[in-house]
Amino acid sequence: MPDLPQHKPVLAGTAHNVTGPGLRLEALPEGHLLHVLGEIEPAALAAELTKAGFAESSIRQAGFRQWFVAGDEPLAPAGLNALTAALAGKAFVTDQSHGRIRIGVSGHSSRLLLSKGTAVDLDPSVFAEGRSVMTMIGHISVQIARTGDDSFELTVLRSFAESLWEDLRHMAASAEKDSGA
């Protein structure tokens, strides 16, 4: 039997973290990412996630009646089956864990860095914690979610992750110069 391909995290060959004064880029664990589509409200979805063992996962709006459910833990087939059964008739669930990568951007210069790549207004008064948006950073489609006052999580298609990582590293160097660090 031929050797089966082994899973290798897409950003494994890069430095996992880039830190500087006021900024941190972090390759987040390739846990799970589920795409939920349907007429279920976020509160009801959160309740079903808890019952199915996804209590630590976050829910991010990904479009009209669409959510991403993201978490650090690898996807267990039993949990996915339980969630799919619980949402039957209300929403559809597709596993996107294999196709998308998450990158953390944090620190007091995080908004400055992201402003170099996107036109989204990331001021906390407009883009509050828990909010998410699909946008472009350069030529790459990305979901940006605010996870804290000065922290964001970027979700990108797996095939664009290395390119986005390099773009973020270059923008980070520029942001450090602009912030006077």
Side-chain angles (χ1 to χ4, degrees):
M1 177 175 202
D3 290 337
L4 296 174
Q6 298 296 313
H7 176 78
K8 176 184 163 201
V10 73
L11 295 175
T14 64
H16 288 287
N17 300 320
V18 174
T19 58
L23 193 58
R24 178 179 172 90
L25 301 178
E26 179 181 15
L28 297 175
E30 291 187 23
H32 63 272
L33 187 74
L34 306 175
H35 191 186
V36 178
L37 299 98
E39 294 188 31
I40 189 166
E41 294 297 320
L45 176 57
E48 295 299 343
L49 288 170
T50 299
K51 288 185 226 173
F54 295 98
E56 299 298 315
S57 300
S58 62
I59 300 171
R60 290 133 186 212
Q61 189 163 10
F64 179 68
R65 295 182 178 167
Q66 297 182 51
W67 296 268
F68 280 139
V69 175
D72 291 343
E73 297 300 319
L75 185 63
L80 179 59
N81 292 339
L83 182 61
T84 301
L87 296 179
K90 299 179 239 174
F92 297 96
V93 180
T94 58
D95 178 13
Q96 297 289 306
S97 306
H98 62 287
R100 297 181 191 260
I101 302 299
R102 297 176 306 130
I103 298 172
V105 180
S106 60
H108 68 268
S109 295
S110 58
R111 283 189 292 141
L112 177 61
L113 174 134
L114 292 173
S115 72
K116 294 182 174 298
T118 187
V120 174
D121 186 351
L122 299 172
D123 188 271
S125 65
V126 177
F127 195 79
E129 186 174 340
R131 184 132 183 253
S132 63
V133 65
M134 294 298 296
T135 188
M136 302 290 283
I137 293 184
H139 69 285
I140 301 171
S141 179
V142 176
Q143 182 190 49
I144 300 176
R146 179 177 230 120
T147 57
D149 188 41
D150 286 326
S151 59
F152 300 86
E153 190 172 294
L154 311 180
T155 304
V156 62
L157 288 170
R158 183 179 197 84
S159 58
F160 289 104
E162 288 177 319
S163 180
L164 177 62
W165 184 263
E166 286 305 311
D167 288 350
L168 291 170
R169 285 186 52 217
H170 289 291
M171 289 188 291
S174 177
E176 283 182 21
K177 289 178 191 171
D178 292 350
S179 69

